[in-house]
Every structure is written in C-alpha cells, then in structure tokens.
Amino acid sequence: MKKIIVAITATFFLFACNNANKPAAEDEVKSETIENSNTPKTPPGYDPNRGIGKFSSVDLGEKLDKKMANAGRAVSDVKCSSCHKMTDEKLVGPGWKGVTTRYTPQWIMNFITNPDEMLDIDPKAQAQLEICLVRMPNQNLADEEARQLLEYMRENDGVK
C-alpha cells in the first residue's frame, strides 16, 4: 500500500512540475505580444519629410530675415545652447551645422515644437536619439519662436 501511495505522490509531483513551466512560457509569449502591440505606429498620411506636427509647409522666403535670425539667436541662447552647438559637434544634442540642408523646414519646425511625438514615431528623430541617448525636452516654444530658431539655423548654414 505504501508503494502505491509513493507512486501516486511521485506521479503527482512530476505532473505538477512539468506543467508549472507551461503557463509561464505562455505568459512570456503574451507579454511579448503586448509589448509589440504597444510599439508606436506611424499615423495614416505620415510624411517623413514633414514629420509629426501641425506644420505642413513653412514659407521661408528667398532671402534670410536678419531680424528674425537675431531673435532666433536670442531664443537659442536661452533655451538651446546648453545642449546644441552651432558646429557639427555633438554636445548633449546634435550640432546644428547643416541641419537645414539635411531636413525640410516643416520637419525642423515640427521637431522643435513637438519633440515628444517626433521622438516616439519619426524614424529620423529616433535615429538622432540613438546617437545622442537623451530625449530633447519640450521647450514649449511658440510657433514664432520656432520660426525664429529656424531662421537662425538657416543663417548658420550660410543663407544670406
């Protein structure tokens, strides 16, 4: 009788131990599926040259607006220069030299005014994040301040 009880107990433990790993494995698969489903997707109509935000076009004019560029320099001195240099050298964020030749005005304006969504969704912004390893904080710039910064960037890139 003792042998039968030992055999039944041993069978029970073996069965319980073998099945103990199965729910965990299923949970891992479910967890991976949930994580993958939370990955941000590009919104319908997403344009990689425009990015994510309200700016679909930006009127630059043919010549540099010197007054606007000077105002952009002032904004940069207060809100941007601690992380960005005007050269191509990375500080905390990437250097600004050549930025207006690499990105469209709309993309730059959308990134300046909407960095959180851009960093979450836009592949070009995500590539910069991989290089810099620090998310650009939202500086809560007014549209006019962002436009002034763009003009300052254009001046830095040699627009006359």
Side-chain angles (χ1 to χ4, degrees), residues 113-135:
T113 59
N114 191 29
D116 296 321
E117 253 190 305
M118 287 283 285
L119 288 168
D120 288 343
I121 296 171
D122 186 87
K124 290 185 272 186
Q126 290 171 347
Q128 286 298 316
L129 179 58
E130 287 180 23
I131 293 167
C132 298
L133 304 175
V134 176
R135 288 180 71 89

Side-chain angles (χ1 to χ4, degrees), residues 83-85 88-96 102-103 111 119 124-137:
C83 294
H84 298 281
K85 290 190 173 193
D88 57 3
E89 183 182 353
K90 177 182 142 281
L91 189 54
V92 174
W96 282 358
R102 292 190 304 273
Y103 302 102
F111 188 68
L119 288 168
K124 290 185 272 186
Q126 290 171 347
Q128 286 298 316
L129 179 58
E130 287 180 23
I131 293 167
C132 298
L133 304 175
V134 176
R135 288 180 71 89
M136 182 171 132

Side-chain angles (χ1 to χ4, degrees), residues 56-121:
S56 57
S57 67
V58 177
D59 181 22
L60 296 179
E62 290 189 30
K63 292 185 176 186
L64 182 77
D65 183 328
K66 188 69 175 161
K67 184 177 177 184
M68 191 179 286
N70 287 338
R73 177 187 307 264
V75 172
S76 174
D77 287 347
V78 173
K79 296 196 174 195
C80 309
S81 63
S82 60
C83 294
H84 298 281
K85 290 190 173 193
M86 297 311 292
T87 65
D88 57 3
E89 183 182 353
K90 177 182 142 281
L91 189 54
V92 174
W96 282 358
K97 183 176 176 90
V99 72
T100 61
T101 61
R102 292 190 304 273
Y103 302 102
T104 64
Q106 301 88 299
W107 190 93
I108 293 169
M109 292 284 290
N110 282 323
F111 188 68
I112 290 171
T113 59
N114 191 29
D116 296 321
E117 253 190 305
M118 287 283 285
L119 288 168
D120 288 343
I121 296 171

Side-chain angles (χ1 to χ4, degrees), residues 139-154:
Q139 297 292 335
N140 297 310
L141 295 173
D143 294 352
E144 183 63 21
E145 291 173 310
R147 179 61 183 88
Q148 292 165 345
L149 276 174
L150 176 59
E151 202 68 6
Y152 179 47
M153 292 174 181
R154 291 179 69 217

